Amino acid sequence: MLHFAPYSVLSILALTTCFLLVCVFEFVNGFHDTANAVATVIYTHSLKPRVAVIWSGLMNFIGVLAGGISVAYGLVELLPADVLSPPNGDPAIPMLISLFGTALAWNLVTWWFGIPNSSSHCVIGALIGVAIGDAFLHTRGLGNSVDWSQIWKVLRALAVSPILGLVGAGGLYFILKHVVKDPELYQPPQGEKPPHGWVRGLLILTCTGVSFSHGSNDGQKSIGLIMLTIIGILPATFALSPNAGSHIPQIAPQAVIAAPLLQQYDHDGLREEALASVARLQTTDPGNVVASQLRADIYEVLAGLKSVSSSTQASDADKKSAKEISAVLRPTVEYAPWWVRLLSALCLGLGTMIGYKRIVHTLGEKIGNTHLTPAQGASAELVGAGLIATAGYTGLPVSTTHIITAGIAGTMLGSGSGINPKMLTKIALAWIFTLPITIAIAATLFYVISM
């Protein structure tokens, strides 16, 4: 495996390369997913394309800044603790290149063919691939190297959210059609003429909602990826929160409480590393801390406590205790500086302003047997904005693309016009193959680069 001395020329070069990769990925995420927010206002001529994408980019930007970091760390914790935070300070170059290279490549391929696809899916597949590659590299069982409980939690959110989008948007369209009798709502756009007053306002409002909620959810993913980059390459500087000084005195007492839990449930698949880490944390000296080692130990213990929380043999009291200890330990290692949030917001917002035409055309004209109407677009985006915003503040990563695409399909079914089976097949195949392809590529890349 490659080794990089902290702050060496090679380390700085690696940091720069990985920073460029994560920024490009988020930029591509912006223009790949933009169509979900701007398709209706552009397709119905409610806003000029340039105005629509600038407005959407601004709302994405604000959404990132207003969002939290629960989604960011919910994603990165799919990685094994020793990959997430290398204890010896070596930069995690193989992980970063495998992750960014895989997700970026698949995003660009699907965008080129005009297929709405999920950036979240790409990232999650690549993260799982890295975890699997690490298991093969260290000849560990997949049960001990891959946090399957967290993976299933994330995948359930990705699987359920499009169904909710389909049913919710279809139901809202059905209600709208029976309550609001304005015929303009149910007709495809005619020439360059925009809809009249309130219809146009509704479409702009739903565009704003989807853009903001997309920023608050997808922006967190890039925050997590940027943090992986700077911590993996410069752990001495970024391994611990700037406020770690106030949290470190609490670590040793919590480790004392955690030790018997980890020992008791060691037979459930906990690695020896977690037991060694909790022993070191019990002797933590606030005045003599090695940042990278402390971070690595905390993540090993967090991984062990997560196993306790999901163990079928653990009592409710032990599960509660494991969660309480985790809540105390996390703030030391899980944070995001203001400039990381700003960088994520800029990349996503700027990416939103280009590259939207391919996906807009697909959403407006190819999902259903008829062209998209204002009522269908508004229904899909209104439901989508609510689902995405809710997920962003509960720590669950969902796919804007999946929700909005499914929502448009639901409104097509609700209108009775039906959906285009040829395009639906293409989208379904992209969704089905995204995970296995990104998992396989990332696992192979990580294994080969790390050899």
Side-chain angles (χ1 to χ4, degrees):
M1 179 177 172
L2 295 172
H3 293 268
F4 298 76
Y7 307 108
S8 68
V9 173
L10 193 55
S11 176
I12 298 300
L13 181 61
L15 174 63
T16 303
T17 301
C18 291
F19 244 96
L20 287 174
L21 280 173
V22 70
C23 290
V24 170
F25 173 77
E26 191 63 4
F27 185 81
V28 171
N29 182 10
F31 73 68
H32 193 287
D33 288 4
T34 292
N36 303 299
V38 301
T40 52
V41 290
I42 291 176
Y43 191 74
T44 59
H45 310 294
S46 298
L47 289 175
K48 296 293 184 183
R50 180 170 297 181
V51 175
V53 295
I54 290 175
W55 178 248
S56 181
L58 178 62
M59 289 299 105
N60 268 281
F61 181 89
I62 295 173
V64 174
L65 296 181
I69 59 171
S70 56
V71 171
Y73 284 99
L75 271 183
V76 300
E77 285 184 13
L78 294 177
L79 293 170
D82 57 345
V83 177
L84 181 59
S85 185
N88 59 359
D90 282 347
I93 301 300
M95 178 265 289
L96 296 170
I97 292 177
S98 304
L99 173 59
F100 300 146
T102 300
L104 180 58
W106 187 247
N107 240 359
L108 287 172
V109 167
T110 53
W111 167 80
W112 180 259
F113 289 102
I115 300 174
N117 189 58
S118 169
S119 298
S120 303
H121 241 147
C122 295
V123 171
I124 290 167
L127 286 167
I128 296 172
V130 170
I132 291 174
D134 180 68
F136 283 121
L137 188 69
H138 294 94
T139 61
R140 289 198 295 247
L142 292 180
N144 291 341
S145 288
V146 182
D147 186 354
W148 294 111
S149 62
Q150 179 69 5
I151 287 173
W152 296 134
K153 179 182 177 182
V154 169
L155 292 182
R156 279 197 300 270
L158 284 175
V160 171
S161 54
I163 298 173
L164 294 177
L166 180 93
V167 175
L172 180 59
Y173 176 82
F174 181 83
I175 294 171
L176 194 64
K177 193 171 183 179
H178 285 78
V179 172
V180 181
K181 300 300 183 179
D182 190 337
E184 189 173 345
L185 267 176
Y186 312 102
Q187 295 175 359
Q190 305 296 321
E192 299 291 325
K193 181 183 177 183
H196 64 229
W198 78 271
V199 177
R200 185 181 184 188
L202 176 64
L203 292 168
I204 294 173
L205 179 65
T206 57
C207 166
T208 302
V210 173
S211 300
F212 178 86
S213 57
H214 175 259
S216 68
N217 193 281
D218 274 46
Q220 289 193 51
K221 296 163 194 169
S222 67
I223 288 173
L225 298 179
I226 294 171
M227 292 304 296
L228 275 182
T229 304
I230 62 176
I231 292 168
I233 300 174
L234 298 174
T237 303
F238 296 104
L240 303 178
S241 164
N243 300 320
S246 62
H247 300 298
I248 288 176
Q250 305 175 54
I251 292 176
Q254 294 299 319
V256 171
I257 303 172
L261 289 175
L262 299 182
Q263 291 166 353
Q264 181 177 356
Y265 298 102
D266 183 37
H267 57 275
D268 285 342
L270 298 177
R271 295 197 303 256
E272 292 182 2
E273 289 92 335
L275 299 175
S277 291
V278 79
R280 283 192 292 269
L281 291 182
Q282 291 180 66
T283 60
T284 300
D285 178 4
N288 185 25
V289 168
V290 178
S292 59
Q293 183 63 60
L294 181 61
R295 180 181 179 84
D297 285 337
I298 288 176
Y299 266 116
E300 289 288 358
V301 172
L302 287 174
L305 292 172
K306 192 179 292 184
S307 296
V308 174
S309 299
S310 60
S311 172
T312 56
Q313 299 181 27
S315 66
D316 290 341
D318 285 344
K319 290 181 179 180
K320 180 181 178 182
S321 180
K323 291 178 180 178
E324 290 174 347
I325 296 168
S326 297
V328 175
L329 296 179
R330 286 185 190 281
T332 307
V333 293
E334 296 188 350
Y335 72 103
W338 67 267
W339 62 266
V340 169
R341 295 171 182 265
L342 184 61
L343 178 62
S344 170
L346 282 173
C347 293
L348 187 63
L350 290 173
T352 300
M353 297 180 189
I354 69 166
Y356 58 88
K357 292 183 180 179
R358 293 177 185 273
I359 309 296
V360 166
H361 182 61
T362 297
L363 293 176
E365 298 185 6
K366 294 186 177 181
I367 291 181
N369 292 324
T370 60
H371 290 190
L372 187 72
T373 66
Q376 290 171 328
S379 299
E381 290 199 333
L382 195 60
V383 170
L387 290 173
I388 299 162
T390 301
Y393 288 98
T394 55
L396 292 175
V398 296
S399 166
T400 302
T401 303
H402 287 187
I403 291 174
I404 299 298
T405 305
I408 291 175
T411 64
M412 293 293 176
L413 292 172
S415 69
S417 63
I419 51 181
N420 181 348
K422 185 177 179 180
M423 178 51 63
L424 184 65
T425 300
K426 286 183 179 180
I427 293 173
L429 288 175
W431 290 4
I432 291 169
F433 285 112
T434 290
L435 277 180
I437 288 176
T438 52
I439 289 172
I441 294 174
T444 303
L445 274 175
F446 182 82
Y447 184 84
V448 170
I449 298 172
S450 300
M451 290 292 288

